[in-house]
Amino acid sequence: MIDRSAWAEPGVETLHPGVHRIPLPLPSDALRAVNVYVLEDLAEDDGLLLVDSGWATPEARRALEEGLAAIGRDLTEIRDILVTHVHRDHYTHAVELRRSLGCRVHLGAGERRGLELLNERRGGLSFLLRTLCQAGATALAEEVRPLYPDDYDPRDWAAPDHWLGEETLRFPGGGLRVVPTPGHTRGHVVYLDERRGLMFSGDHVLPHITPSVGFEPADPGGRPLADFLDSLHLMTRYADARLLPAHGPVTDSVHARVTELLAHHEDRLRATLTALGDGANDAFGVARGLTWTRREVPFGDLDAVNRMLAVNETVAHLDVLVLRGRTTVETADGTHRYARVR
């Protein structure tokens, strides 16, 4: 049997000469770890470039120090950190490392509004809880609210040195193409090393799971899943590359996994339409009629956080069905009500 969690074990995996993967632990997170990629041959002064940084915890910093020591390097050699998106497990350690080491932090420009909301203390769960209420899941919103204490620290959410657009970053040792991939968050980007055929995919393309969409402080704009599907299709316009994800093991083909993810979402769209036709008319009711995860767990058997994610995913699928003309939506008493188009 394949051990799907082996990738998260501490240590260093050398993927290509000068390219290493170091998994950093996550506190109380089902994902277990986040992959930080170390590139030795791009940055100036023979320094290091990181893709993603981890969650700002003492354990993550220690794991990064130990991983770098295993390849004969040191934290002080970090020159640039390229972050794929603004989620805590990708961004906050970069801000902390910049504060102590003076390295530069790069982040997709689409994350600007989410970061502003966090710094205005208007981010966090507010938009997600509003989405739950509009989905007919007010009681679930109240159940979830106390699970996310207000632990905001402005030092975690300082702005990056460089807001990234669709561009190629030039370093002394070569370039990395920045490809905006909205969906998981509005400003998510992936980094393509075309010379070596490597895609640093963040949470956009993951080998074992499909990421949540629109899970961010800012309003994702009403079509996060449609954006995500468009961003998946975009990946096939580039030459196939080795998949270097933020969570999970490295695999051989971005295109192969993108094909699987697109098929999965088409299956979910069909199942969502069927559940809507079975009598439910809001996202909460539709979500309860579906099963979840690879193990097809009934909605009622999920914990509160995963029920929240399930309802939000159902909202995203219903909104794609509206965009495709398969359903209509109206708002009554603050709840979005959907109907199949006959």
Side-chain angles (χ1 to χ4, degrees):
M1 179 181 294
I2 296 174
D3 183 356
R4 286 182 173 265
S5 64
W7 68 272
E9 295 300 320
V12 180
E13 180 184 10
T14 297
L15 306 168
H16 189 281
V19 182
H20 313 277
R21 182 184 69 86
I22 303 176
L24 303 187
L26 295 176
S28 304
D29 194 302
L31 292 172
R32 302 190 67 232
V34 57
N35 291 323
V36 170
Y37 295 96
V38 181
L39 284 70
E40 294 191 87
D41 59 353
L42 290 186
E44 60 191 21
D45 302 325
D46 295 321
L48 302 176
L49 184 151
L50 305 186
V51 177
D52 279 329
S53 68
W55 190 314
T57 66
E59 294 79 11
R61 189 178 182 111
R62 184 164 55 250
L64 182 58
E65 285 182 304
E66 292 172 354
L68 292 178
I71 59 173
R73 305 304 294 255
D74 184 82
L75 285 175
T76 61
E77 298 178 84
I78 299 171
R79 302 289 181 264
D80 293 273
I81 305 176
L82 309 181
V83 184
T84 57
H85 60 294
V86 79
H87 283 167
R88 185 186 295 268
D89 57 327
H90 296 255
Y91 188 66
T92 56
H93 199 198
V95 174
E96 180 184 282
L97 290 169
R98 178 180 63 184
R99 189 162 52 241
S100 60
L101 303 173
C103 51
R104 294 175 292 264
V105 176
H106 309 254
L107 183 68
E111 303 291 39
R112 187 189 295 266
R113 184 54 183 152
L115 201 57
E116 288 173 349
L117 286 172
L118 284 165
N119 282 302
E120 294 167 10
R121 304 200 69 168
R122 293 195 290 122
L125 279 185
S126 58
F127 175 74
L128 295 171
L129 294 177
R130 185 165 70 252
T131 299
L132 285 178
C133 293
Q134 292 170 344
T138 302
L140 177 58
E142 293 306 311
E143 184 180 356
V144 168
R145 189 186 303 273
L147 301 179
Y148 287 84
D150 182 7
D151 58 352
Y152 171 83
D153 185 336
R155 295 174 301 173
D156 293 338
W157 304 106
D161 299 280
H162 181 196
W163 291 107
L164 299 169
E166 184 178 353
E167 60 188 279
T168 297
L169 297 174
R170 302 293 181 185
F171 299 98
L176 290 175
R177 183 190 290 267
V178 183
V179 183
T181 51
H184 183 53
T185 65
R186 286 202 291 186
H188 193 292
V189 299
V190 303
Y191 299 99
L192 178 58
D193 185 335
E194 294 174 297
R195 176 169 61 93
R196 291 181 282 209
L198 305 175
M199 173 75 80
F200 301 94
S201 67
D203 283 5
H204 178 51
V205 183
L206 297 173
H208 290 157
I209 60 174
T210 181
S212 58
V213 295
F215 195 74
E216 57 184 317
D219 184 339
R223 47 167 291 161
L225 181 58
D227 289 341
F228 176 66
L229 297 175
D230 288 345
S231 297
L232 285 177
H233 283 291
L234 177 63
M235 297 295 92
T236 65
R237 299 179 194 168
Y238 297 96
D240 200 8
R242 200 171 181 198
L243 174 62
L244 279 60
H247 307 284
V250 171
T251 60
D252 288 336
S253 172
V254 172
H255 287 185
R257 182 55 180 156
V258 164
T259 298
E260 293 173 352
L261 288 168
L262 289 169
H264 163 78
H265 280 288
E266 289 302 321
D267 287 343
R268 292 301 287 182
L269 286 164
R270 285 190 289 271
T272 299
L273 192 61
T274 298
L276 176 64
D278 286 343
N281 67 2
D282 59 36
F284 183 48
V286 172
R288 285 181 293 175
L290 299 169
T291 56
W292 298 92
T293 79
R294 293 187 307 272
R295 298 184 298 277
E296 298 189 353
V297 177
F299 180 86
D301 291 348
L302 300 172
D303 62 29
V305 171
N306 281 296
R307 278 183 277 131
M308 174 186 70
L309 294 174
V311 172
N312 284 332
E313 180 177 320
T314 303
V315 170
H317 282 91
L318 285 166
D319 288 341
V320 167
L321 291 169
V322 171
L323 286 171
R324 292 184 179 183
R326 303 297 305 279
T327 67
T328 60
V329 59
E330 296 180 351
T331 302
D333 299 323
T335 300
H336 295 331
R337 310 265 179 204
Y338 299 84
R340 296 178 67 169
V341 173
R342 300 295 180 184

